[in-house]
Amino acid sequence: MPRDVSSDTKTPRSPQYSLGYSNATHRWMSLRSPAIHGAFFLPHLSPGMRLLDCGCGPGSITLGLASAVAPGEVVGIDIEPIQIERASALAQEQGVTNVQFEVAPINPLPFPDASFDAVFVHAVMYHLPNPLDALRECVRVLKPGGVIGVRDTDYSVWFLEPATPVLDAFRDLSLRVAAFNGASPTYARQQRSLLVQAGCTTTSSAASCISRGSADEIAASVQAHITRLQSPAFYPVAIEQGWATETSLAQMADELRAWGVRADAFEAIMWRESVGWTSIEH
Ligand SMILES: C[S@@+](CC[C@H](N)C(=O)[O-])C[C@H]1O[C@@H](n2cnc3c(N)ncnc32)[C@H](O)[C@@H]1O
């Protein structure tokens, strides 16, 4: 079980979006589809609904949601202009006309109360320092009887097996640095109760898991972990905060490489997805 990072008392940095906006990140993120990543939410959508996608990224999921609610209007917002450019270009390329994208933060949202039938938030809350505040904002813009769908990784269940003390230390340090940088890596454990606190009167919730258990998947995972460990958002933070040394970080990278060529390496991370409804008297 990863260590609890929620009680770290050192002053956190201002929130920063850790994945960045490189072409490589854009390539894998735009492979996301409504059929897989939005599957839990699609049954709750119907033609004519007005839908908001918060933190829409490159828009590949948004466009599928737009087809589910057509001729209803879809608005995708993202804090990063380049994501909005990419999403708008994709909509144009695919000839989707019931969607518009705009640069905006999730909190505060630039929309009046009760202006959407549905709100979707995929892989965004994890990156925020206070997911509950953002959820309250999403619920605020829902009409009475509206529906919200939220999906995120829950890093309180993340294992690299066969475990070793150094691999465990790497995993715990990753969560600690993420929290320090303004993310909420284990918030999704409370996803259902946060939706209730945000104002939903009915909720449902489920968990699933992504796993890596082949040589190619493990090799890609090792590369991603080492790139992150050596990144400016990780390496200097771990050293400056006294959580690691150059030697212990080099040991972690070596251990990851050694793990990556084992025939029995296996990794799994939990995902949580929840749906909430506001009361019809909302
Ligand atoms: C991991 S991506 C997910 C994108 C998309 N929802 C998907 O799953 O493909 C997270 C997105 O949230 C955006 N984001 C991060 N913080 C935000 C904020 N405070 N307000 C709005 N968008 C934000 C980022 O710019 C990024 O595009």
Side-chain angles (χ1 to χ4, degrees):
M1 175 88 175
R3 69 182 290 281
D4 179 9
V5 291
S6 56
S7 56
D8 276 348
T9 50
K10 295 193 178 180
T11 311
R13 292 186 163 191
S14 57
Q16 52 177 288
Y17 175 60
S18 59
L19 297 180
Y21 301 98
S22 67
N23 287 338
T25 303
H26 175 234
R27 264 195 302 280
W28 67 255
M29 200 175 290
S30 54
L31 294 176
R32 288 180 174 166
S33 73
I36 295 173
H37 303 86
F40 74 104
F41 199 49
L42 286 174
H44 308 293
L45 301 181
S46 51
M49 280 180 156
R50 183 166 194 250
L51 181 145
L52 173 66
D53 184 2
C54 294
C56 60
S60 58
I61 306 178
T62 326
L63 297 191
L65 301 177
S67 123
V69 300
E73 181 198 16
V74 171
V75 180
I77 62 115
D78 200 287
I79 203 161
E80 171 56 42
I82 194 166
Q83 300 288 62
I84 293 305
E85 273 173 40
R86 286 163 168 166
S88 304
L90 191 65
Q92 198 164 21
E93 192 184 303
Q94 296 190 3
V96 180
T97 53
N98 64 324
V99 63
Q100 63 183 60
F101 293 100
E102 52 189 90
V103 176
I106 194 169
N107 188 15
L109 287 167
F111 305 107
D113 294 357
S115 45
F116 292 92
D117 301 291
V119 174
F120 182 70
V121 201
H122 188 270
V124 179
M125 293 292 172
Y126 161 93
H127 296 284
L128 307 178
N130 194 336
L132 177 57
D133 286 350
L135 284 172
R136 285 200 170 105
E137 189 57 4
C138 293
V139 171
R140 177 186 69 74
V141 301
L142 273 181
K143 294 177 188 172
V147 63
I148 176 170
V150 188
R151 187 164 186 267
D152 260 302
T153 35
D154 174 358
Y155 277 100
S156 60
V157 179
W158 174 22
F159 57 82
L160 302 110
E161 287 288 339
T164 68
V166 176
L167 286 179
D168 284 352
F170 162 72
R171 181 199 56 195
D172 290 350
L173 181 62
S174 299
L175 300 191
R176 201 171 190 179
V177 170
F180 181 79
N181 284 336
S184 302
T186 59
Y187 100 87
R189 179 157 275 231
Q190 282 96 37
Q191 207 173 57
R192 193 175 183 200
S193 55
L194 292 180
L195 277 176
V196 171
Q197 290 173 58
C200 291
T201 48
T202 310
T203 64
S204 69
S205 197
S208 60
C209 175
I210 55 157
S211 60
R212 292 157 190 147
S214 70
D216 285 351
E217 287 169 347
I218 293 290
S221 180
V222 166
Q223 194 183 353
H225 290 323
I226 291 179
T227 301
R228 187 158 40 83
L229 183 147
Q230 293 171 342
S231 71
F234 191 120
Y235 196 97
V237 171
I239 290 178
E240 280 162 26
Q241 295 305 311
W243 297 333
T245 61
E246 289 187 6
T247 306
S248 67
L249 290 172
Q251 268 173 350
M252 287 177 194
D254 287 346
E255 190 90 345
L256 281 163
R257 284 187 201 98
W259 173 74
V261 293
R262 288 185 66 136
D264 56 353
F266 183 75
E267 178 174 18
I269 303 167
M270 186 154 86
W271 276 75
R272 284 290 307 278
E273 57 201 37
S274 299
V275 181
W277 290 264
T278 54
S279 148
I280 48 171
E281 283 124 37
H282 170 59

